[in-house]
Amino acid sequence: MPKPKNTFSSWRRRLAQRAVHAGWAWVQRTGSVTAEHPGRLTFRAMGTGTRLAFPLGTVFGERWIELGSHCIVGEQVTLTAGLMPDLDLGPDPILRIGDGVVLGRGSHVIADTTVTIGSDCYFGPYVYVTSTNHSYDDPHEPIGKQWPRMEPVEIGPGCWIGTNAVILPGARIGRNVVVAAGAVVRGTVPDHAVVAGAPARVVRRWTPAEGWVPPLRTPAPTPIPAGTTPEQLRALSELDALEVARLAELDAEEHTGDVRAES
């Protein structure tokens, strides 16, 4: 037989749950890192409005890491400069992250030599960027004991890097490039391209002469009209499907009436 519900225990459980959630939200707010509240971290530069979410991933070599303004670094993101902590990497920065960059939860950026991420790049969760790769030249030596190879990595501004993508040493990714989820990128990727696969290859590209080749399969999104206020957007988001359809009909009727009047 089902046991009678203990209303008092259920109430205490809900109360404890709310307290835990509120406490964890406070820990996340307090533990996040900003330029005003860097905690133990001493980045070479950290712009206004940038925030590293708590809990942090592995972070070291921050004296050689520059973060631009208004960046969002998700939970458990690893940012490292150098092979290990407490190395002297010289006078120049090793890892440069531009303004407005978003690094998704669980991503890793490993900069043993120069890694540059341009402004307004967006990373999905669990992206892996590294300037170091294992070497296996000696067939008699364990690969983990062989000296790694290092090559600079450069990701141009405005890129979208999909979930679980891997950016390998020596990669040069152009401006406004889409890297598909799970892609493994090495070598040079031109501007305005879409790459996918392992190893990644160009599957679509835009040029001024030809536009997108092959053509896009979906129409371009309709831009928000100039002059639209945040309040109007919030009101629109609260409409249901029937109300939106009715507004579209009214707009079409108004447009048809304008055309008739002009003719």
Side-chain angles (χ1 to χ4, degrees):
M1 294 182 63
K3 295 182 179 180
K5 185 176 180 180
N6 189 326
T7 304
F8 182 68
S9 296
S10 177
W11 175 81
R12 285 193 302 177
R13 180 179 181 84
R14 289 196 301 271
L15 186 63
Q17 188 178 53
R18 290 181 181 179
V20 168
H21 289 175
W24 179 244
W26 178 86
V27 168
Q28 287 180 304
R29 290 193 302 271
T30 305
S32 63
V33 173
T34 63
E36 295 78 18
H37 302 285
R40 63 176 179 81
L41 300 178
T42 54
F43 288 105
R44 182 186 184 96
M46 188 175 188
T48 303
T50 289
R51 180 179 295 270
L52 280 70
F54 184 86
L56 304 173
T58 301
V59 179
F60 63 77
E62 60 268 25
R63 288 172 52 199
W64 291 272
I65 299 175
E66 293 183 350
L67 293 160
S69 301
H70 305 291
C71 296
I72 299 174
V73 179
E75 296 178 12
Q76 299 289 356
V77 169
T78 290
L79 298 175
T80 64
L83 286 169
M84 60 189 70
D86 301 323
L87 295 178
D88 186 349
L89 304 178
D92 299 322
I94 300 296
L95 173 56
R96 297 182 179 93
I97 297 175
D99 297 336
V101 171
V102 176
L103 301 179
R105 177 189 178 96
S107 293
H108 288 62
V109 183
I110 312 298
D112 296 328
T113 188
T114 304
V115 172
T116 303
I117 300 174
S119 297
D120 299 314
C121 285
Y122 292 79
F123 286 38
Y126 307 108
V127 171
Y128 190 87
V129 180
T130 180
S131 63
T132 303
N133 211 346
H134 297 288
S135 60
Y136 50 88
D137 303 64
D138 187 345
H140 306 294
E141 185 73 14
I143 292 172
K145 293 184 178 181
Q146 298 188 45
W147 193 253
R149 287 192 174 90
M150 302 179 189
E151 291 185 74
V153 172
E154 184 175 350
I155 301 173
C159 292
W160 168 258
I161 313 296
T163 302
N164 287 322
V166 177
I167 313 299
L168 292 175
R172 297 285 190 278
I173 299 176
R175 174 186 298 270
N176 289 2
V177 169
V178 174
V179 175
V184 179
V185 181
R186 58 182 301 174
T188 301
V189 178
D191 294 346
H192 310 296
V194 180
V195 296
R201 62 183 182 87
V202 176
V203 296
R204 179 172 279 117
R205 189 181 177 191
W206 181 90
T207 62
E210 299 180 280
W212 284 105
V213 178
L216 297 176
R217 292 174 293 183
T218 55
T222 303
I224 297 173
T228 303
T229 65
E231 291 74 18
Q232 290 172 326
L233 290 175
R234 280 194 291 269
L236 186 62
S237 68
E238 295 172 358
L239 299 177
D240 60 29
L242 291 176
E243 291 172 322
V244 171
R246 180 55 185 157
L247 287 175
E249 290 176 3
L250 292 174
D251 184 64
E253 291 173 2
E254 182 179 347
H255 179 69
T256 302
D258 291 342
V259 171
R260 289 174 180 171
E262 290 175 1
S263 60

